[in-house]
Amino acid sequence: MLSEAELTRCLDEAVECAMEGGMLVKECVEKVKTLTVETKSCATDLVTEYDKRVEDMIMTRLRKEFPSFKTLGEESDEKVPLTDEPTWVVDPIDGTLSFMHKSFDCCICVGLSINKKSVLGVVYAPLLDELYTAIEGKGAFCNGRKIKASSNTDLKTSLLCTHFPSYTRDPAFIDNLFAVWRDLLAHPVQGVRSYGSCALDMCSIARGRLDAYFELGIWAWDVCAAAVILTEAGGTLVDVTGGPFDLENRRLLACATPELAEQLVGYLKKLDIKGAQL
């Protein structure tokens, strides 16, 4: 495990990387009229030249400052499994589709994993000018002010969030997902939202804007930075099945309280995880 001084140095560098990445995002939103866009796994899984520029910048800085650390990035050609070694996990623009549409719900994510667990996270939402930071055991902050998840324990007074998948548009799975939401709306929950960034939704729970969020199909780079921010803010992070959260299993249920997580797991048992084609 790294010392407190080493983690502080890591956090400082991660913040600088995220802020510099945010400047590139703002530059694009303000000045660029046409983006170069490519598809990845399917027609709705997108990457722009700015995703690549931001990741190249961040990885270059991190590899120079921390040459012994491993790195894992969304746009890297080589995807390697997480190990117990200190690993920077980077999503250069979480919410690429939102970014392309100049919507607020996109962010730069820089997380540090040790023993396959998030120990440090920085999430910067440049179009909101919100900088979320956390080190394990030291609390969670937004723009330097400590944040805390809500104390809500009742689904009937909860604001929930999910994403509609980019990785599959299989009609059977879409029907299954909407069936789960139909049951939740009939519960009834107080409200439902759907934004474009996994990390930013988790940070919104960490600061009390949302009460719960679930998704299938996310990757380690989507959640590594925000995971420690959420838990340091007092939130709960588990698998959609109710088991322990795993950075690599592509499923999460993030909640303000354990009580909400327990209630939601009962509904999420209906999710067709195999049908999600993960």
Side-chain angles (χ1 to χ4, degrees):
M1 185 64 181
L2 301 179
S3 69
E4 184 174 339
E6 289 171 322
L7 285 170
T8 299
R9 177 172 168 252
C10 288
L11 182 66
D12 290 344
E13 185 63 29
V15 166
E16 290 188 16
C17 287
M19 295 293 285
E20 187 173 341
M23 289 176 61
L24 288 171
V25 168
K26 287 180 179 179
E27 169 194 289
C28 176
V29 169
E30 292 169 359
K31 298 179 180 179
V32 177
K33 294 183 178 180
T34 304
L35 278 170
T36 301
V37 181
E38 301 173 15
T39 59
K40 296 191 288 185
S41 63
C42 62
T44 53
D45 187 10
L46 307 172
V47 59
T48 72
E49 74 261 36
Y50 273 81
D51 292 81
K52 296 177 181 179
R53 282 181 62 185
V54 173
E55 181 164 313
D56 287 346
M57 177 275 296
I58 291 175
M59 290 304 197
T60 297
R61 290 188 58 154
L62 293 177
R63 287 166 181 157
K64 179 181 178 181
E65 293 296 323
F66 305 94
S68 66
F69 288 17
K70 295 182 179 297
T71 56
L72 176 64
E74 178 174 11
E75 310 309 336
S76 301
D77 291 332
E78 183 180 2
K79 300 292 191 296
V80 295
L82 284 175
T83 69
D84 291 341
E85 297 299 313
T87 304
W88 289 110
V89 185
V90 174
D91 191 339
I93 303 178
D94 185 37
T96 295
L97 184 59
S98 293
F99 163 63
M100 289 169 53
H101 287 268
K102 301 184 179 182
S103 180
F104 69 91
D105 47 337
C106 59
C107 58
I108 294 89
C109 305
V110 184
L112 181 63
S113 166
I114 300 177
N115 297 321
K116 301 179 184 179
K117 180 183 178 184
S118 301
V119 299
L120 178 153
V122 173
V123 173
Y124 180 49
L127 303 186
L128 294 172
D129 198 25
E130 293 178 352
L131 176 68
Y132 296 90
T133 59
I135 294 176
E136 186 178 39
K138 301 297 181 181
F141 301 84
C142 178
N143 294 345
R145 299 183 65 177
K146 196 164 188 178
I147 55 175
K148 183 170 175 49
S150 81
S151 57
N152 198 341
T153 60
D154 188 350
L155 273 181
K156 291 182 178 179
T157 56
S158 294
L159 182 60
L160 274 56
C161 183
T162 192
H163 294 178
F164 299 106
S166 61
Y167 53 87
T168 179
R169 294 296 168 87
D170 176 69
F173 176 71
I174 297 298
D175 286 345
N176 173 251
L177 182 60
F178 273 93
V180 172
W181 276 109
R182 179 192 60 215
D183 290 349
L184 284 167
L185 286 167
H187 178 79
V189 298
Q190 196 164 55
V192 173
R193 300 290 183 268
S194 179
Y195 301 114
S197 163
C198 167
L200 198 52
D201 288 344
M202 294 169 71
C203 289
S204 291
I205 297 172
R207 68 174 299 162
R209 279 181 179 156
L210 294 170
D211 295 303
Y213 155 68
F214 71 87
E215 188 170 3
L216 303 178
I218 44 84
W219 297 91
W221 45 80
D222 296 312
V223 296
C224 183
V228 65
I229 294 169
L230 174 67
T231 54
E232 284 299 308
T236 297
L237 188 60
V238 295
D239 190 288
V240 294
T241 63
F245 172 71
D246 184 326
L247 276 174
E248 295 188 288
N249 72 2
R250 304 193 65 195
R251 308 187 298 265
L252 71 80
L253 169 59
C255 295
T257 61
E259 291 85 353
L260 285 181
E262 184 178 358
Q263 294 169 63
L264 279 166
V265 164
Y267 287 91
L268 301 186
K269 286 179 180 177
K270 296 182 180 180
L271 277 175
D272 182 8
I273 294 173
K274 290 184 178 178
Q277 302 173 11
L278 302 183

